[in-house]
Amino acid sequence: MAARSFPLGICASVLAFAATIPSQPTFYKNVLPVMQNRCQECHRPGEVAPMPFLTYKEVRPWAKAIREAVITRKMPPWPADPHFGKFSNDRSLSQEEIDTLVAWADGGAREGDPAEAPKPAQFVDGWGIHKPDAVFEMPNEFAVPASGTIDYQYIVIPSGFTEDKWVQEIEARPGNRQLVHHIIAFIRPPGSKWLKDAQPGIPFVPVKEENREKRKQKRDDDNSGPPELLVGFAPGLPPGILRPGQAKLVKAGSDFVFQMHYTANGKPGTDRSRIGLVFAKEPPQERVYTVAASNDKFEIPAGDANYEVESDVTLQEPAKLVDMMPHMHLRGKDFVYTAFYPTGESEVLLRVPKYDFSWQLFYYLTDQKVLPAGTRLHCVAHFDNSPNNPANPDATKTVRWGDQSWEEMMIGWFDVAMAPDKNPMDLFKEKKHNKSGD
């Protein structure tokens, strides 16, 4: 049989790549740096992962599981399609990192010499952000029963700010991860009529207004502007850390409103959650504002494996796109953001082909994109309400919008940046033209 030949360039590339993977990797020299850079954000005490990965004794029992998780790219979780968009918080492992972990597991998960270990990664105890400048906590514990459906609880916490504050890092921390499904901390501006009957610090359940038009009219009548999403906690959601020069505004006299979603797990318990804020060290160049492209008028038929729901927001003035965060519940299947520009061109900004309710992520653009006036940000989501969806609570039921996890939502969250003195509402108000068209 004739010998096969390969171009010298290909051979050199293969040999160079192979040379980067140690033949007998050890934990301290080769694996611990990967743990620090890619895993310990979640795999440390008090965080979302079920086990810590700080020491050899903690990691060694999981060597085979780690091998499987990185080969299948199940971990670290990063469900975005790599063909669309580049993101600064991309958690994906490089091929070299994957090969190192696989070679370590296959080679007996050797410990190596502790003297070759890098310095321990530094984390702020209890926080994923820098040490907070201000912490706001629920004043009392909330008692969660062992069973039953728990309505969203709204807790108003006055900021006490006597001057405007610019926030660059924000994090919501549940007091009891076993019972807190999510936290959304809103900024309620001074003079707002939203939740006007709620007393500070006392959990409040608002009366639901079934008529959509009446809900809209109430919002329109509130001249102080709508509440703004400050930060959230949900499964897998990282803290909000904005770039230098960008920050969120909390006006003097504002309140924080915690929207608490508790889920009973068979045992009674209590929770006392909090948020931490790191203030911008200098006046920001841009204000960041959170927007929701949502649709609450869908009905997903029982058994439907690919039901489509759309939503969009049109920008009336230019703004810079900072990030995106799709939100659905247990029947969520996939989600796509597309920008339709006034030139007639379009661009897919983010595609999540396998949405996972357990890992709800913000995707921060590496290169923030200026969206010109007239850009329509369009979201398309699909839901799997069939028996083939293992997470489906009940494939025999028609599903509509609702707060609880067995109901559904369709929200395309995204952040935009604008001049710090700009009113965000101007981005969405259609311009009125006089008869001459000027």
Side-chain angles (χ1 to χ4, degrees):
M1 182 178 293
R4 299 179 64 185
S5 62
F6 296 92
L8 291 176
I10 294 178
C11 290
S13 297
V14 171
L15 290 173
F17 177 75
T20 64
I21 307 302
S23 59
Q24 292 185 320
T26 66
F27 175 78
Y28 289 112
K29 184 177 182 179
N30 309 107
V31 173
L32 184 54
V34 180
M35 296 290 112
Q36 291 181 353
N37 294 330
R38 300 294 194 177
C39 307
Q40 291 180 4
E41 175 188 353
C42 297
H43 286 272
R44 56 190 173 93
E47 295 303 321
V48 65
M51 77 290 284
F53 282 169
L54 301 180
T55 68
Y56 177 73
K57 288 184 178 180
E58 291 170 340
V59 178
R60 176 62 181 86
W62 299 96
K64 290 184 178 180
I66 291 171
R67 180 188 187 280
E68 179 66 20
V70 301
I71 286 178
T72 60
R73 296 186 182 272
K74 181 179 180 181
M75 288 286 164
W78 187 256
D81 186 334
H83 298 94
F84 302 100
K86 299 297 181 184
F87 303 96
S88 60
N89 61 326
D90 188 341
R91 293 170 166 174
S92 303
L93 294 180
S94 68
Q95 190 60 50
E96 181 179 340
E97 290 171 323
I98 292 172
D99 291 342
T100 296
L101 296 177
V102 170
W104 177 69
D106 289 344
R110 298 168 67 240
E111 183 175 10
D113 184 356
E116 295 183 307
K119 293 181 180 179
Q122 298 299 311
F123 299 100
V124 177
D125 185 31
W127 297 98
I129 57 177
H130 289 94
K131 183 179 179 180
D133 295 313
V135 175
F136 294 88
E137 187 174 41
M138 293 165 48
N140 302 295
E141 291 184 337
F142 181 82
V144 180
S147 61
T149 300
I150 303 154
D151 289 328
Y152 279 17
Q153 304 291 315
Y154 291 82
I155 301 168
V156 176
I157 301 178
S159 71
F161 293 161
T162 56
E163 59 182 10
D164 292 351
K165 295 288 188 180
W166 290 97
V167 181
Q168 192 167 0
E169 299 183 21
I170 326 106
E171 184 176 5
R173 300 284 299 187
N176 188 333
R177 290 181 181 271
Q178 303 302 314
L179 298 172
V180 176
H181 175 268
H182 82 232
I183 306 166
I184 297 181
F186 293 95
I187 304 168
R188 187 174 71 171
S192 173
K193 298 177 183 178
W194 182 51
L195 302 180
K196 60 183 177 63
D197 296 326
Q199 299 299 311
I202 299 176
F204 179 77
V205 178
V207 176
K208 291 185 178 180
E209 177 59 73
E210 299 297 334
N211 188 292
R212 292 190 180 98
E213 292 303 319
K214 288 184 178 180
R215 291 203 304 267
K216 181 179 183 301
Q217 186 61 49
K218 285 184 177 180
R219 291 195 299 267
D220 292 344
D221 290 343
D222 190 348
N223 295 324
S224 64
E228 178 184 351
L229 188 151
L230 174 66
V231 68
F233 164 84
L237 189 65
I241 300 177
L242 300 175
R243 293 183 179 182
Q246 295 182 333
K248 287 196 168 187
L249 173 63
V250 183
K251 293 182 178 180
S254 294
D255 299 320
F256 298 115
V257 178
F258 288 17
Q259 181 197 82
M260 303 298 303
H261 180 187
Y262 294 108
T263 302
N265 65 1
K267 296 180 180 180
T270 60
D271 169 69
R272 192 175 179 184
S273 294
R274 57 183 175 159
I275 61 172
L277 282 60
V278 176
F279 301 134
K281 301 300 183 283
E282 298 178 356
Q285 300 169 359
E286 293 177 310
R287 175 182 178 179
V288 173
Y289 186 85
T290 303
V291 185
S294 62
N295 184 343
D296 64 353
K297 299 179 181 180
F298 56 82
E299 293 187 1
I300 307 172
D304 194 319
N306 199 46
Y307 187 79
E308 184 173 283
V309 180
E310 300 175 279
S311 65
D312 55 37
V313 168
T314 299
L315 300 179
Q316 303 300 322
E317 295 190 2
K320 185 184 292 181
L321 182 64
V322 175
D323 57 52
M324 296 161 279
M325 198 277 273
H327 177 69
M328 300 182 283
H329 288 174
L330 293 166
R331 296 171 177 85
K333 183 177 180 181
D334 58 56
F335 207 105
V336 178
Y337 288 75
T338 304
F340 289 89
Y341 299 113
T343 59
E345 299 173 299
S346 64
E347 178 183 12
V348 174
L349 302 173
L350 170 66
R351 178 174 179 264
V352 179
K354 293 183 179 180
Y355 178 83
D356 187 344
F357 185 57
S358 297
W359 292 103
Q360 300 182 44
L361 305 176
F362 267 101
Y363 299 86
Y364 290 91
L365 287 166
T366 301
D367 297 317
Q368 297 180 358
K369 186 178 293 293
V370 175
L371 304 177
T375 299
R376 179 167 61 94
L377 203 61
H378 182 64
C379 299
V380 177
H382 291 96
F383 296 85
D384 184 353
N385 194 22
S386 75
N388 294 327
N389 176 4
N392 194 346
D394 189 346
T396 67
K397 299 288 181 65
T398 297
V399 182
R400 300 173 180 83
W401 176 282
D403 290 344
Q404 300 300 327
S405 300
W406 57 84
E407 298 170 308
E408 270 302 337
M409 287 187 178
M410 190 281 188
I411 306 175
W413 294 105
F414 62 98
D415 280 334
V416 291
M418 68 205 81
D421 58 349
K422 186 72 178 174
N423 183 349
M425 293 301 99
D426 290 344
L427 296 178
F428 316 108
K429 291 180 181 178
E430 292 190 25
K431 299 293 183 287
K432 295 182 179 180
H433 301 284
N434 58 32
K435 293 183 180 180
S436 66
D438 296 333

